[in-house]
């Protein structure tokens, strides 16, 4: 018959393993996907950068930056680019990968349902709008 100490250790290890699995699943689901939909007949490059709101310098606050090459009537997606949270997201859109057609920013606030996404549309005017 196992001692009380052995039984407590086994129960503690099982509980720790169960909690570790839950946190691992939660952290994977709580990330932000970015998708750019091109509604035009021209190829575009869209640069996107996420900045945290911790008051640090711009370089230190940058959580993610990348560019998306999107063909005519196409789409591009990057999954799980940053942990879900509040961000300032800056963007620039370039028609034919060279002519700047729009630049600006949006504020991302998570919905809290673990299906975080930031979709953008490139309009015929070359402007980028949040879906």
């Amino acid at each position: 018959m196992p001692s009380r100490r052995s039984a407590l250790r086994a129960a503690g290890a099982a509980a720790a393993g169960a909690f570790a699995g839950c946190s691992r699943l939660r952290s994977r689901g709580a990330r932000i996907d970015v998708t750019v939909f091109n509604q035009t007949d021209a190829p575009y490059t869209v640069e996107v950068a996420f900045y945290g709101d911790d008051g640090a310098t711009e370089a230190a606050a940058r959580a993610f930056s990348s560019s998306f090459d999107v063909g005519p009537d196409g789409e591009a997606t990057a999954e799980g680019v940053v942990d879900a949270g509040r961000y300032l997201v800056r963007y620039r859109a370039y028609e034919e990968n060279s002519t700047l057609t729009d630049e600006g920013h949006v504020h991302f606030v998570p919905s809290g349902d673990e299906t975080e996404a930031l979709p953008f549309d490139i309009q015929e005017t070359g402007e980028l709008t949040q879906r």
Side-chain angles (χ1 to χ4, degrees):
M1 179 166 212
S3 71
R4 181 175 176 204
R5 186 175 289 169
S6 296
L8 287 174
R9 263 190 240 145
F19 286 125
C22 286
S23 67
R24 217 180 3 248
L25 288 173
R26 189 176 351 170
S27 67
R28 274 189 279 162
R31 295 192 58 86
I32 301 170
D33 298 341
V34 178
T35 303
V36 180
F37 298 93
N38 187 351
Q39 309 294 332
T40 75
D41 294 331
Y44 271 80
T45 297
V46 176
E47 297 174 349
V48 176
F50 282 71
Y51 295 90
D53 60 358
D54 60 7
T57 65
E58 183 174 320
R62 186 175 321 150
F64 170 81
S65 64
S66 187
S67 63
F68 297 82
D69 292 323
V70 191
D73 295 317
E75 69 181 73
T77 299
E79 294 181 353
V81 299
V82 292
D83 289 333
R86 298 172 72 94
Y87 294 95
L88 170 70
V89 182
R90 294 184 181 156
Y91 59 83
R92 289 188 175 122
Y94 297 91
E95 183 177 9
E96 300 283 339
N97 306 323
S98 62
T99 305
L100 180 66
T101 60
D102 192 20
E103 64 182 320
H105 72 276
V106 297
H107 297 272
F108 183 85
V109 178
S111 65
D113 65 2
E114 295 192 15
T115 59
E116 307 301 343
L118 181 57
F120 289 105
D121 284 307
I122 304 169
Q123 303 296 324
E124 284 293 332
T125 60
E127 291 179 307
L128 204 65
T129 57
Q130 187 177 352
R131 240 185 210 193

